[in-house]
Amino acid sequence: MAQPSVILATASYDHTIRFWEAKSGRCYRTIQYPDSQVNRLEITPDKRFLAAAGNSHIRLFDVNSNSPQPVISYDSHTSNVMAVGFHCDGNWMYSGSEDGTVRIWDLRTATCQREYESRAAVNTVVLHPNQKELISGDQNGNIRVWDLAANSCSCELVPEVDTAVRSLTVMWDGSMVVAANNRGTCYVWRLLKGTQTITSFEPLHKLQAHDGYILKCLLSPEFCDPNRYLATASSDHTVKIWNVDGFKLERTLVGHQRWVWDCVFSVDGAYLITASSDTTARLWTMSTGEAIRVYQGHHKATVCCALHDGAESAPS
């Protein structure tokens, strides 16, 4: 099976993962996932594998195979896995779960190498571009920075007491972090490097982005520069695109009929893929804010999507 240059996958409460031809909208592969719902999808940097985070495991599927079976399973979480991602060289994977832990895994052996206690259900985890710090957000409203070199929590923030942090995103150059919560608010900090390696947070902006929940926030990638955007996906059925310079609303993406759970930028920031409870995923062009493709095939809410349309980064 030839490797597609663009890998686009979605997962749904219908217990399937679907792979799509991004341009045509054709679904070319469906994986049955009977064990649980899938909460998050992520593609490895080398484009070879798709990680599916469920309850209470993570499964890795071969992108270039038709096998319905996972290649490997990661099994030591005890509740829903809500976040998953990879180190840039693909050697290890990180995850966050409603069991209150953040974990680091050896990708090849499927062993859990480290475990950090957040003491509340973890909703979101991102890796700092320095590849040395994980930032987590939990149901109690805590944001924590985990210093992987010191193997400890180096920073703790509570932007709004008892308001769940739903999603975190870090600018590609490590200059900014955004946290989105259940009240439709985004908190923005400038990230400062002190004399030590420890990252410190300087409050920059508070953005009342939506009246409903924000389910995902995402900053635009490197190749979108000099334009820098923040996308916020919401229970109000819309995705809003904000210019990071002043946080002015650039456009509102209207078309989904239900909650919008997830979004992902194309490598150049020119397009956005979204996943919604209306069962569809959509491809939007950022220049006009129009939906130019609808991916239809799921029978229930589509809750996560993953896209890798850049060059493969070779494993070290």
Side-chain angles (χ1 to χ4, degrees):
M1 188 173 162
Q3 165 120 334
S5 62
V6 177
I7 299 158
L8 169 59
T10 57
S12 164
Y13 284 160
D14 66 11
H15 292 280
T16 66
I17 298 167
R18 288 177 177 263
F19 288 85
W20 307 85
E21 288 176 356
K23 283 195 175 127
S24 71
R26 186 180 76 89
C27 175
Y28 64 87
R29 181 185 176 191
T30 303
I31 297 170
Q32 301 297 323
Y33 202 94
D35 295 354
S36 79
Q37 81 274 14
V38 176
N39 302 309
R40 185 66 61 206
L41 292 173
E42 198 69 46
I43 298 159
T44 55
D46 63 8
K47 284 187 168 181
R48 290 180 57 204
F49 300 102
L50 175 77
N55 187 0
S56 50
H57 49 256
I58 304 159
R59 303 265 159 84
L60 210 61
F61 293 92
D62 190 335
V63 166
N64 302 307
S65 149
N66 281 318
S67 169
Q69 299 304 318
V71 178
I72 199 163
S73 186
Y74 306 82
D75 292 318
S76 67
H77 279 300
T78 57
S79 187
N80 265 312
V81 183
M82 302 302 290
V84 66
F86 300 96
H87 185 263
C88 63
D89 66 9
N91 284 341
W92 51 264
M93 176 174 72
Y94 61 87
S95 61
S97 166
E98 289 181 344
D99 66 16
T101 66
V102 174
R103 294 173 189 250
I104 292 178
W105 308 80
D106 183 294
L107 211 56
R108 293 171 185 82
T109 64
T111 51
C112 176
Q113 295 180 318
R114 295 193 190 172
E115 179 182 327
Y116 301 113
E117 287 282 348
S118 188
R119 302 191 295 281
V122 176
N123 293 325
T124 176
V125 184
V126 288
L127 179 62
H128 190 289
N130 65 19
Q131 307 291 308
K132 296 181 176 71
E133 292 166 308
L134 287 172
I135 309 172
S136 66
D138 70 26
Q139 195 64 20
N140 288 358
N142 303 297
I143 296 168
R144 292 190 174 91
V145 180
W146 307 95
D147 182 328
L148 303 183
N151 205 21
S152 65
C153 179
S154 62
C155 178
E156 204 165 317
L157 292 167
V158 185
E160 209 169 319
V161 177
D162 292 334
T163 303
V165 177
R166 180 65 69 170
S167 182
L168 287 165
T169 180
V170 185
M171 188 63 81
W172 63 268
D173 61 0
S175 62
M176 178 186 293
V177 65
V178 181
N181 72 18
N182 269 355
R183 291 185 180 162
T185 311
C186 284
Y187 288 88
V188 185
W189 294 270
R190 191 179 280 115
L191 290 183
L192 303 171
K193 273 275 173 244
T195 47
Q196 282 78 37
T197 55
I198 294 169
T199 297
S200 61
F201 289 66
E202 179 186 273
L204 187 65
H205 196 75
K206 181 182 175 183
L207 176 68
Q208 192 55 46
H210 297 267
D211 291 331
Y213 302 130
I214 300 175
L215 303 167
K216 174 81 174 212
C217 65
L218 189 63
L219 287 161
S220 55
E222 177 179 0
F223 299 116
C224 186
D225 269 25
N227 297 312
R228 294 188 168 197
Y229 300 111
L230 172 69
T232 55
S234 173
S235 60
D236 69 10
H237 309 178
T238 72
V239 178
K240 291 183 179 178
I241 308 297
W242 309 85
N243 193 318
V244 169
D245 181 16
F247 290 92
K248 297 184 293 291
L249 181 63
E250 289 273 325
R251 50 185 49 89
T252 304
L253 309 184
V254 178
H256 280 301
Q257 304 301 307
R258 304 282 294 278
W259 290 22
V260 186
W261 284 96
D262 199 6
C263 62
V264 59
F265 281 104
S266 62
V267 71
D268 60 0
Y271 300 95
L272 191 76
I273 304 264
T274 55
S276 168
S277 292
D278 67 13
T279 75
T280 70
R282 289 173 190 243
L283 172 67
W284 309 80
T285 173
M286 292 285 287
S287 59
T288 64
E290 288 178 85
I292 55 174
R293 187 72 65 242
V294 179
Y295 305 97
Q296 288 181 298
H298 286 299
H299 306 301
K300 291 184 179 176
T302 303
V303 291
C304 50
C305 52
L307 175 70
H308 193 331
D309 62 331
E312 304 94 43
S313 63
S316 62

